[in-house]
Structure formats: C-alpha cells, structure tokens
Amino acid sequence: MILVVTVQNSDKTLSRKQRLQEKQRRQLAVVDTVDKAEVKLRKAEAELAVAVAEAVQVFGDERTASEGLDMPVEAVRRFVGIAAHESAEADGPDA
C-alpha cells in the first residue's frame, strides 16, 4: 500500500488570503457607502436649516415658527444656528 501525503497548507493560506481580501473589500465598500450617505445627510440638514431659518423669518420668531412647524424650539434654534454657520462659510472667512 502506498500512502500519498499532500501538503494543502499553501492552498489553505491562499483561500484564507482570498477570504481576507474579500472581507476587506466588503468593509471598504460599506465605509464608502456610509461616507456618501453622510455627505447626503449633511447636505439635507443644511437645506432643512435654511428652510427653518426662512420659516422663522416668515413666522416672526422662533417660538411661533416652532408651533407652525410642529418642531421643538430647541430644534428650530439648532437649525437656525446651522443656517447661520452655512451662510458665514458661504460668505467666506473675510466677511
């Protein structure tokens, strides 16, 4: 009887390496997706902030805008602050 011994260690290392590469590829893809979503979220938040700031002007004050928008006063103030910050950044650091 002849016994054949094969070394599969290199095959396992290769498949392990391939699995690791695939896992890293998926992780990078998820990070990329999250990064893109965060950019969209910041843009949407800035647009909402501008709209809330306009609502404050139309309603006359933050409390009335809060009631008209059915939004807590703290949220209205936060969005007004974001809008002011966005406006200051758009005007540039010298303005």
Side-chain angles (χ1 to χ4, degrees):
M1 176 178 188
I2 301 175
L3 188 60
V4 178
V5 176
T6 59
V7 178
Q8 295 180 356
N9 196 12
S10 63
D11 290 341
K12 286 184 179 182
T13 302
L14 184 60
S15 65
R16 204 175 305 144
K17 180 179 177 182
Q18 288 172 337
R19 286 193 308 269
L20 178 59
Q21 287 173 334
E22 177 61 19
K23 182 178 180 180
Q24 288 174 333
R25 185 196 64 74
R26 289 192 321 264
Q27 288 172 338
L28 288 171
V30 168
V31 168
D32 187 49
T33 301
V34 169
D35 286 347
K36 288 177 182 176
E38 285 177 337
V39 169
K40 289 179 182 179
L41 177 63
R42 283 191 297 273
K43 182 179 177 184
E45 187 176 56
E47 291 174 3
L48 178 58
V50 169
V52 170
E54 289 175 6
V56 169
Q57 290 176 346
V58 169
F59 283 99
D61 62 31
E62 291 174 349
R63 184 160 308 283
T64 308
S66 167
E67 293 168 4
L69 297 173
D70 194 27
M71 181 182 289
V73 175
E74 296 80 19
V76 170
R77 289 183 182 139
R78 185 174 77 84
F79 285 122
V80 168
I82 292 170
H85 181 73
E86 292 289 323
S87 178
E89 282 187 354
D91 290 343
D94 296 335

